[in-house]
């Protein structure tokens, strides 16, 4: 298990991951949320970690764009 700092549930995290992957857009708030999720002391699942990794790989490859807050 990995760690999540926010009190949001696993389902909220997965919903946010799916939203970013579907839209191909990431805000700076999203980026901070996902980075915090990977670096803090509350557990997250392998599914969530894989989704967050996919987001950052998409950002690096250009499949996901960093945008201003909508």
């Amino acid at each position: 298990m990995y760690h999540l700092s926010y009190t949001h549930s696993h389902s909220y995290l997965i919903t946010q991951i799916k939203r970013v992957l579907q839209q191909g857009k990431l805000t700076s708030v999203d980026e901070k949320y996902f980075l915090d999720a990977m670096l803090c002391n509350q557990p997250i699942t392998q599914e969530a970690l894989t989704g967050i990794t996919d987001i950052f790989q998409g950002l690096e490859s250009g499949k996901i764009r960093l945008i201003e807050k909508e």
Side-chain angles (χ1 to χ4, degrees):
M1 296 286 266
Y2 300 88
H3 296 87
L4 177 64
S5 66
Y6 291 97
T7 58
H8 296 302
S9 68
H10 168 73
S11 61
Y12 179 81
L13 178 59
I14 295 299
T15 299
Q16 296 309 306
I17 290 168
K18 288 179 179 178
R19 175 186 56 79
V20 170
L21 290 172
Q22 288 173 348
Q23 293 178 354
K25 300 175 188 173
L26 180 74
T27 67
S28 59
V29 172
D30 294 330
E31 183 178 32
K32 182 177 179 347
Y33 177 74
F34 295 132
L35 285 171
D36 286 350
M38 291 189 333
L39 298 174
C40 37
N41 295 324
Q42 300 296 321
I44 64 171
T45 63
Q46 185 64 43
E47 176 189 19
L49 181 64
T50 299
I52 293 168
T53 300
D54 290 346
I55 288 170
F56 287 110
Q57 287 175 343
L59 193 59
E60 288 178 2
S61 70
K63 292 180 181 178
I64 294 177
R65 295 180 300 125
L66 187 59
I67 63 167
E68 295 294 321
K69 187 174 180 176
E70 292 184 331

